[in-house]
Amino acid sequence: MSDRKKEQAVERALTEGYEKYYRLAYSYVHNEADALDIVQEAAYKAILKSDSLKEPQYVETWVYRIVINEACSFLRSRKESADVEEIQAASEDIYENIDLKRAIENLDPKDRAIVVLRFFEDRQLEEIAKILDENLSTVKSRLYRVMKKLRLNLEGSMG
């Protein structure tokens, strides 16, 4: 596939999937403006590096990975702190259960990605493995471990 066709495939994926990429970014930063910045930066990088896309049929997976990497970079550079904005964002968050939201926020970024992609973005485990560039059995075992950890965390916060 030519570089131009790869770029067009990336642009199409970004246009058609913008909302899900935004939701993914938002699930990391809980701030509309920051999530928009992350998606914009990810889109820029995806288009800029579209020639490095090896398998065009996985363009969506490739863009997901870029969005996750950008969100993690953003969080590392910001070193999250509990401030008024975060408290306001928590009150209008997409998750209904505030304890669940907090438990998910406290997960390691890769574990959080697995939970968000599986349960909030309805991605299959095979696709999650490709997005995170991990073995399918690793993703399954991490999901099992994370679900157990979340369950214990939630049982502890309710009791």
Side-chain angles (χ1 to χ4, degrees):
M1 182 180 253
S2 73
D3 287 351
R4 180 65 191 134
K5 287 204 187 286
K6 287 180 183 178
E7 186 175 323
Q8 289 171 337
V10 169
E11 288 172 359
R12 190 170 39 259
L14 287 166
T15 303
E16 292 171 3
Y18 185 84
E19 204 170 295
K20 59 187 166 191
Y21 301 131
Y22 168 78
R23 282 193 316 264
L24 179 61
Y26 187 87
S27 73
Y28 277 80
V29 296
H30 308 291
N31 178 292
E32 196 173 315
D34 293 339
L36 289 169
D37 287 346
I38 288 167
V39 174
Q40 185 176 5
E41 186 63 25
Y44 169 74
K45 287 183 177 178
I47 291 169
L48 187 68
K49 299 289 187 181
S50 60
D51 60 328
S52 68
L53 177 62
K54 289 174 179 57
E55 298 183 55
Q57 69 268 30
Y58 297 122
V59 65
E60 191 175 294
T61 300
W62 188 72
V63 174
Y64 263 119
R65 186 179 301 161
I66 294 170
V67 173
I68 289 171
N69 288 340
E70 280 305 305
C72 289
S73 266
F74 177 86
L75 290 175
R76 273 192 305 275
S77 70
R78 192 176 89 173
K79 293 291 185 206
E80 282 192 303
S81 62
D83 57 13
V84 176
E85 273 185 60
E86 194 157 326
I87 293 167
Q88 289 172 341
S91 67
E92 58 194 32
D93 197 70
I94 59 173
Y95 306 118
E96 292 180 21
N97 183 325
I98 198 75
D99 291 329
L100 176 61
K101 176 194 165 292
R102 285 195 180 117
I104 291 171
E105 281 177 3
N106 290 327
L107 293 173
D108 167 82
K110 275 199 173 184
D111 290 343
R112 185 186 320 168
I114 291 171
V115 171
V116 169
L117 290 169
R118 180 72 186 103
F119 297 106
F120 295 95
E121 294 297 323
D122 293 324
R123 297 286 151 203
Q124 297 299 316
L125 292 174
E126 293 80 8
E127 187 176 3
I128 295 169
K130 287 177 185 154
I131 290 169
L132 298 177
D133 196 25
E134 293 206 4
N135 184 308
L136 177 59
S137 61
T138 301
V139 170
K140 285 179 181 178
S141 64
R142 286 177 68 189
L143 179 60
Y144 175 78
R145 182 179 46 80
V146 168
M147 296 308 294
K148 188 174 181 181
K149 184 177 177 181
L150 285 173
R151 187 172 40 256
L152 290 172
N153 190 326
L154 291 173
E155 286 171 0
S157 70
M158 294 190 182

